[in-house]
Amino acid sequence: MLIEKAGDLLIENKWLEQSISSEDIYYFHEGTSHFSHHFLGAHPVVEDGVKGYRFTVWAPNAIKVGLAHDRNGYHGLGESDLLYKIPDSGLWTRFFPEIIEGIFYKYHIISPHGESLLRADPYAFQAEVRPATASVTTDIEGYVWHDAAWRRKQKEPYNKPLHVYEMHFGTWKQKDDMSFYTYREMAELLIPYLLEMSYTHVEFMPLSEHPYDLSWGYQNTGYFAPTSRYGTPKDLMFLIDQLHQAGIGVILDWVPAHFARDAHGLRMFDGTPLYEYADPLKSDKPGWGTLSFDYSKPEVRSFLISNAIYWMEKYHIDGLRIDAVTSMLRLDFEKSNGQYTLNEFGGVENLEAIDFIKQLNTTIYHYYPNALMMAEESSAWPGVTSPVFADGLGFNYKWNMGWMNDTLEYFKTDFNERPHKHNFLTFPVVYAQADNHLLPLSHDEVVHGKKSLLDKMPGNYEQKFAGLRTLLGYFMTFPGKKLLFMGGEFGQFIEWKDEEPLDWFLLDYESHRKLHAYSKALNELYIREKGLWELDHAGEGYEWISADDHSQSVISYLRKGKKQGDTLIVVINLQPVARQDYRIGIARPGSYTEIFNSDLQEFGGEGLHVNNEIRTEKTSWHGQPNSLVLKLPPLSVVILKKTTRGKVKPDAKPADLKNETTQDKKKAVKPKKRQSKRVLQDVPIV
């Protein structure tokens, strides 16, 4: 392969073909280079027996590109600093034998207009600690993983429990001097907590490098660099490895919708709009002060898809939560007339972004068939979790923003107005199976004056806690996988403070301590009861008992598993008034036992209205031949299950209940493997 030295003399480098092949370049420009991080960026290599780093960058419109680093005073235009240009590729490359690990560097670029620019490496694997902005040479290879058992057992997620703990790394906990815990230190604190609370996954708000703390990681400058605020790349690998060994999955927030405008980042990278659209009506996101990626450029697609693969390949991430998908899909997202342009057919759909998303998901599932690809999509866009071959977007989960908005609108409503908003509880059932949903009670709902979950609740102090227990119980029993933002589990009273740690001292107070115990018991119940997750995405997994008791603000429904014995009865009283003789219709006669009651004293309730073993009466009700008469505590969730000998003990506490005895387990027939809801398209492996 020939390279052009500083736009002048052509020379041959016998080592270049080993680092960057003609096929690499072809696929990169085709938009199908799924591993472009293998040759772009700074890589430690040995050439002619000499150790050093090879640097390669895409800057097609640059006049010159040099390596500026802390050893040459960040002046990278000397003869020994200039990179060589690979003709007709837009790529610049050079091997530097004097560069070792830990060097701070940028690319010194002369733009087509003669401007002298210093840019961080778009493919850098590490960055300086902010506010410094240089990239850092590092070797991310060589970490010895011990999570093979975890990775082998990962299967389709649809008929499994999935309860995600969403957290902002820097404010979950901080040291006494308000400094951050490192990735390694966090392993000792976070993992025991997640295990104690029975979360199946942790979702980190974006950990890719970002200059501004208060962007929370959603305005990136270093897509391939784990933020150095908390340590090194291998420190993050250690944390994820430890989480996997403990049986906890890891989801990373990922932001392909936009990037930061900071001068050292991707904006006008080589002096021209390279990663962003040239048309400001398409590139500008005025509400966020950021720039949209140009999804029509194959090289940008290679960059983004490689980045998604990179987090799974190098860091063993189990899935990505894709932020702000609606802003990608719609050209008019949060824009006024005159701030956007229409597509070629006169519509507001971003056709390039739609095509990119389909390519992204198809590619990810080719390499990682059981990856979690979760869309934060806030509109009624059809087919978000439908397969690409069926003209869907190809995600396997969508955040159910409609459920979240309706639910929180209802729960913050004063008690006397709730009968008039009863439809906010009933309407979400209509579209519950329209996509594979995850129910988010996320960070976005407890910031910017929206109040914390606890403070949203109406009523006096005790009623607020009872209301939050009811909200969490409703959340856990509604169809869909679960996500709860940190602090909600113990009743953080003040909304999330994005520079300070959670108020863990609240656990010194009885009400918060009991709410924490309630969250733990509720999580355990969720993991234990197949009826709460086995048929999440099937209509037969949910059945109304009564949806229309708006006058008393009571709803009741069944949650079902594959076996009849896994069916649960859920009754929710949303008024601060006890219902002593509340009748519900039941098809199956027999005895039923309360297995969960949010009003127990150990949870902070009164404990006065407990349903011990109850037998059905032959009184028709709610269209069923039998009925049960229950005691409903004020602001409560009551869950019952049909009593079966050896399975449910009337006097058992929630933590003592089991689905099956040992004998039952031996007799159980293993269900047939469920067919995947998506068919993977064949993608050539590059």
Side-chain angles (χ1 to χ4, degrees):
M1 182 187 298
L2 295 179
I3 57 178
E4 185 177 359
K5 184 178 181 182
D8 191 8
L9 179 67
L10 291 177
I11 63 172
E12 184 177 3
N13 185 325
K14 66 179 180 179
W15 297 104
L16 182 59
E17 183 70 26
Q18 297 181 15
S19 300
I20 310 168
S21 69
S22 298
E23 288 78 11
D24 288 334
I25 296 172
Y26 173 82
Y27 288 122
F28 177 69
H29 291 306
E30 188 185 54
T32 57
S33 177
H34 306 153
F35 299 91
S36 59
H37 54 281
H38 286 182
F39 61 90
L40 281 157
H43 293 267
V45 294
V46 177
E47 298 189 5
D48 275 333
V50 179
K51 292 181 179 180
Y53 273 78
R54 177 170 286 280
F55 294 81
T56 307
V57 64
W58 178 52
N61 303 303
I63 302 300
K64 291 183 179 181
V65 177
L67 186 67
H69 50 83
D70 55 354
R71 291 187 173 184
N72 65 11
Y74 291 101
H75 296 287
L77 299 180
E79 184 68 17
S80 62
D81 303 315
L82 291 175
L83 275 66
Y84 306 146
K85 187 175 184 180
I86 303 175
D88 302 320
S89 72
L91 298 177
W92 301 73
T93 189
R94 186 170 179 175
F95 171 68
F96 289 87
E98 73 275 15
I99 299 298
I100 61 175
E101 187 166 6
I103 295 294
F104 299 153
Y105 73 97
K106 290 184 179 180
Y107 291 115
H108 198 156
I109 295 172
I110 300 300
S111 79
H113 311 294
E115 301 165 293
S116 179
L117 310 172
L118 286 176
R119 298 285 192 256
D121 188 347
Y123 282 84
F125 298 139
Q126 189 174 350
E128 271 190 288
V129 179
R130 53 87 180 95
T133 58
S135 303
V136 182
T137 54
T138 188
D139 186 358
I140 62 171
E141 303 299 331
Y143 180 83
V144 181
W145 290 86
H146 299 90
D147 65 344
W150 165 264
R151 304 192 89 192
R152 280 195 301 268
K153 74 177 184 179
Q154 293 314 294
K155 306 297 181 184
E156 289 182 340
Y158 305 113
N159 60 351
K160 291 183 175 181
L162 181 62
H163 190 191
V164 182
Y165 188 68
E166 184 193 28
M167 63 175 284
H168 179 259
F169 197 98
T171 57
W172 184 66
K173 286 186 178 180
Q174 292 178 0
K175 299 179 181 179
D176 291 341
D177 61 359
M178 303 299 284
S179 63
F180 298 134
Y181 284 100
T182 67
Y183 294 120
R184 287 181 178 268
E185 291 169 337
M186 187 62 79
E188 299 180 10
L189 300 174
L190 180 61
I191 293 172
Y193 184 76
L194 296 174
L195 291 174
E196 175 194 359
M197 297 300 292
S198 298
Y199 291 104
T200 66
H201 291 69
V202 60
E203 178 178 318
F204 294 116
M205 292 166 67
L207 290 179
S208 47
E209 195 58 78
H210 52 283
Y212 185 46
D213 287 359
L214 298 188
S215 78
W216 312 334
Y218 291 102
Q219 296 184 14
N220 294 167
T221 50
Y223 274 75
F224 290 84
T227 178
S228 53
R229 289 167 173 79
Y230 315 124
T232 69
K234 289 181 180 177
D235 291 339
L236 177 56
M237 293 177 189
F238 174 83
L239 171 60
I240 296 170
D241 194 10
Q242 294 295 308
L243 284 161
H244 282 172
Q245 291 182 57
I248 300 164
V250 181
I251 301 167
L252 183 66
D253 265 14
W254 188 58
V255 192
H258 59 136
F259 57 86
R261 289 175 175 267
D262 296 64
H264 68 284
L266 299 178
R267 177 180 175 271
M268 300 286 288
F269 183 77
D270 62 359
T272 68
L274 193 61
Y275 287 88
E276 69 269 33
Y277 285 107
D279 181 355
L281 294 181
K282 294 185 73 172
S283 65
D284 288 353
K285 291 191 181 295
W288 298 332
T290 55
L291 295 171
S292 174
F293 283 100
D294 183 351
Y295 307 106
S296 69
K297 288 179 183 170
E299 297 85 356
V300 172
R301 294 187 183 211
S302 289
F303 172 82
L304 289 172
I305 292 175
S306 293
N307 185 243
I309 292 287
Y310 165 81
W311 288 108
M312 296 181 182
E313 176 197 18
K314 300 299 184 183
Y315 291 89
H316 293 198
I317 293 291
D318 299 291
L320 298 171
R321 177 264 194 182
I322 292 77
D323 180 64
V325 170
T326 310
S327 77
M328 300 169 66
L329 296 173
R330 296 186 63 92
L331 296 166
D332 63 343
F333 179 80
E334 293 188 354
K335 292 184 178 182
S336 304
N337 289 336
Q339 291 184 315
Y340 62 92
T341 183
L342 301 176
N343 64 33
E344 60 187 287
F345 301 107
V348 297
E349 300 82 10
N350 187 330
L351 302 178
E352 299 109 2
I354 295 168
D355 190 57
F356 161 74
I357 289 171
K358 292 179 178 181
Q359 181 186 354
L360 167 71
N361 286 323
T362 301
T363 305
I364 290 294
Y365 295 138
H366 178 79
Y367 297 109
Y368 300 96
N370 298 311
L372 293 167
M373 295 295 286
M374 299 180 168
E376 185 210 15
E377 204 288 300
S378 56
S379 74
W381 193 277
V384 173
T385 63
S386 295
V388 170
F389 74 83
D391 201 30
L393 295 182
F395 292 101
N396 53 15
Y397 279 99
K398 172 184 174 177
W399 276 27
N400 193 337
M401 308 297 282
W403 174 89
M404 178 272 296
N405 286 320
D406 285 352
T407 296
L408 295 182
E409 178 64 27
Y410 181 89
F411 272 85
K412 72 181 184 182
T413 299
D414 289 339
F415 304 123
N416 60 346
E417 294 296 322
R418 285 186 171 183
H420 306 297
K421 291 192 174 183
H422 197 73
N423 63 305
F424 282 71
L425 296 175
T426 58
F427 181 66
V429 179
V430 174
Y431 57 85
Q433 272 75 48
D435 281 292
N436 297 333
H437 280 137
L438 177 139
L439 309 182
L441 293 174
S442 75
H443 68 277
D444 278 328
E445 309 316 312
V446 294
V447 290
H448 300 323
K450 295 179 183 178
K451 299 183 178 181
S452 69
L453 291 181
L454 181 61
D455 202 20
K456 290 181 196 288
M457 301 298 112
N460 59 32
Y461 186 78
E462 289 77 14
Q463 289 169 340
K464 283 182 178 292
F465 279 91
L468 182 51
R469 292 196 302 271
T470 307
L471 168 61
L472 294 176
Y474 172 62
F475 158 74
M476 202 64 77
T477 57
F478 192 89
K481 307 309 181 187
K482 321 299 177 185
L483 178 140
L484 181 66
F485 183 57
M486 63 183 195
E489 75 275 19
F490 64 81
Q492 172 86 7
F493 206 94
I494 299 173
E495 67 178 28
W496 175 45
K497 298 167 289 187
D498 49 18
E499 292 183 285
E500 300 177 25
L502 295 179
D503 293 333
W504 291 100
F505 68 86
L506 291 175
L507 291 176
D508 294 335
Y509 296 88
E510 184 179 39
S511 296
H512 294 272
R513 190 165 59 251
K514 288 186 173 182
L515 177 62
H516 195 236
Y518 171 76
S519 296
K520 181 176 184 293
L522 187 61
N523 293 355
E524 291 171 350
L525 177 81
Y526 171 73
I527 298 297
R528 188 168 63 243
E529 294 293 344
K530 293 182 179 180
L532 295 178
W533 43 262
E534 197 169 39
L535 296 177
D536 261 331
H537 314 307
E540 59 268 28
Y542 183 95
E543 181 182 332
W544 278 114
I545 296 174
S546 174
D548 57 4
D549 190 0
H550 59 87
S551 63
Q552 298 189 88
S553 300
V554 177
I555 56 174
S556 52
Y557 45 87
L558 303 177
R559 288 303 314 276
K560 302 178 181 180
K562 294 180 179 179
K563 297 179 181 179
Q564 192 175 56
D566 292 325
T567 298
L568 303 179
I569 299 169
V570 181
V571 187
I572 304 180
N573 179 12
L574 294 147
Q575 291 290 350
V577 178
R579 313 290 182 191
Q580 293 295 344
D581 298 297
Y582 192 84
R583 188 179 295 272
I584 61 171
I586 292 294
R588 298 175 65 202
S591 298
Y592 288 80
T593 301
E594 179 183 281
I595 65 166
F596 197 83
N597 187 324
S598 66
D599 193 54
L600 296 181
Q601 288 184 340
E602 55 259 46
F603 301 150
E606 297 177 346
L608 301 177
H609 310 279
V610 176
N611 299 279
N612 294 317
E613 188 170 14
I614 310 169
R615 291 197 61 82
T616 55
E617 299 178 4
K618 292 183 179 180
T619 301
S620 298
W621 208 258
H622 294 144
Q624 300 294 344
N626 307 290
S627 57
L628 288 171
V629 178
L630 305 175
K631 301 174 184 176
L632 301 184
L635 294 173
S636 65
V637 177
V638 171
I639 303 175
L640 302 101
K641 194 172 184 181
K642 197 171 190 302
T643 308
T644 303
R645 186 175 299 277
K647 289 189 178 181
V648 176
K649 299 178 181 180
D651 58 347
K653 292 183 179 180
D656 298 326
L657 302 177
K658 302 293 181 183
N659 278 326
E660 299 168 333
T661 62
T662 303
Q663 185 176 3
D664 292 327
K665 289 181 179 178
K666 291 179 180 178
K667 294 180 180 179
V669 179
K670 186 176 181 180
K672 294 180 180 179
K673 185 177 180 181
R674 184 179 179 186
Q675 186 175 355
S676 173
K677 288 196 172 185
R678 64 172 189 275
V679 177
L680 303 180
Q681 292 188 339
D682 188 21
V683 180
I685 298 179
V686 179

